[in-house]
Amino acid sequence: FTSFVFLLFFASSRHLCGVESFRLVNRREEIFRLMTLPIVVTKAPAFAVESGIKTAPYIDSKKSFRIELPSNYVKVERDGSEKNRGIVFIAGDYKKATTLAIASSTAEKLLFETGVEPNGPMEKWADLGTALGVAKLLTLKRDQDASQSSSIQESKLLEESVSLVENVISFKITTPVAVQRPDLLEKETGLNRLYRITLAKGVMKNDGSYLICWAGTTNIEWEGTR
């Protein structure tokens, strides 16, 4: 069984914005409640974590975000450099292959690195294109980054999951994982293929900078087959 809830607050100089919730559960009928909470602009956290899930708040050293995570998660900050592919924070329950990463970047850099010519202002996601188009760019950028340190990665964007509300975009992707013995996998889990299911949620500020959070696990954990 895999379950986590997190809140992401993107801090600006005046306030924290973009209160959002993710939940990863092992029941298909409960796949995500990504859009169940309203986007809130607030000076302080204003969310009661679901009962039954022991969590602890975490604020990064630069105070650029606040996140609520299960207390048993390993948590590590990174410097957001090119070497680290813009990643500023990682966390997870690695025994269950359930991980979360937050990366920092800009709209201008996203377009440049995905081969898109900028056209006009870049102050909100809608300035970059349609919600579906932006989700595709973010997915492409993630796959490009992953392929630099491993084999070529090609994720599938689930188009029906894409949502754009003001400064927050969210969507879901699946990424295949190579398996040497599919027959053994099916024998042990009842599944004939292995892939990761990942939730993405990005919050953009009006200067074009953004934080994007990727949270995912394997379909084995997702479907509770182990």
Side-chain angles (χ1 to χ4, degrees):
F1 177 85
T2 298
S3 179
F4 64 74
V5 173
F6 71 81
L7 302 180
L8 175 61
F9 299 82
F10 192 176
S12 70
S13 59
R14 304 177 96 183
H15 56 252
L16 297 174
C17 62
V19 181
E20 290 299 326
S21 172
F22 277 64
R23 183 174 182 185
L24 230 173
V25 295
N26 71 326
R27 300 177 184 276
R28 291 183 181 179
E29 64 271 20
E30 293 180 4
I31 290 180
F32 306 144
R33 295 178 182 179
L34 285 175
M35 278 64 82
T36 58
L37 293 181
I39 299 168
V40 179
V41 175
T42 178
K43 292 184 179 180
F47 178 76
V49 178
E50 290 185 46
S51 61
I53 300 176
K54 187 176 181 180
T55 64
Y58 181 90
I59 300 176
D60 70 310
S61 59
K62 294 183 179 179
K63 294 181 172 57
S64 59
F65 65 87
R66 174 188 173 92
I67 193 166
E68 188 93 11
L69 290 168
S71 55
N72 68 325
Y73 271 27
V74 175
K75 308 170 188 72
V76 179
E77 285 190 30
R78 291 188 174 178
D79 61 12
S81 65
E82 291 289 338
K83 180 180 178 181
N84 287 321
R85 304 189 300 278
I87 295 174
V88 297
F89 180 75
I90 56 174
D93 181 345
Y94 294 98
K95 290 182 180 180
K96 294 183 177 180
T98 300
T99 59
L100 176 151
I102 297 176
S104 174
S105 191
T106 66
E108 182 178 12
K109 186 175 181 181
L110 173 65
L111 294 184
F112 176 78
E113 294 187 344
T114 53
V116 178
E117 189 72 25
N119 182 21
M122 292 179 284
E123 300 174 349
K124 53 186 183 295
W125 291 119
D127 291 337
L128 309 187
T130 65
L132 179 59
V134 172
K136 287 181 177 180
L137 289 179
L138 290 167
T139 301
L140 174 60
K141 175 65 169 61
R142 183 174 186 269
D143 283 349
Q144 288 175 340
D145 289 345
S147 297
Q148 291 178 13
S149 57
S150 60
S151 58
I152 295 176
Q153 177 174 295
E154 293 186 8
S155 299
K156 177 183 178 182
L157 171 64
L158 303 186
E159 297 185 2
E160 67 278 7
S161 71
V162 178
S163 172
L164 176 59
V165 181
E166 297 183 359
N167 66 332
V168 178
I169 188 168
S170 60
F171 53 93
K172 173 184 171 185
I173 63 173
T174 60
T175 307
V177 177
V179 177
Q180 292 183 339
R181 292 290 303 275
D183 56 325
L184 291 181
L185 176 69
E186 186 168 13
K187 182 178 180 181
E188 293 176 2
T189 68
L191 303 173
N192 56 18
R193 63 192 183 104
L194 182 64
Y195 57 91
R196 290 189 65 79
I197 300 170
T198 303
L199 306 177
K201 184 156 286 188
V203 182
M204 181 178 285
K205 294 199 295 185
N206 59 13
D207 63 357
S209 64
Y210 66 87
L211 286 179
I212 185 163
C213 188
W214 304 91
T217 192
T218 65
N219 57 316
I220 293 176
E221 291 296 332
W222 183 276
E223 299 182 16
T225 56
R226 180 168 62 186

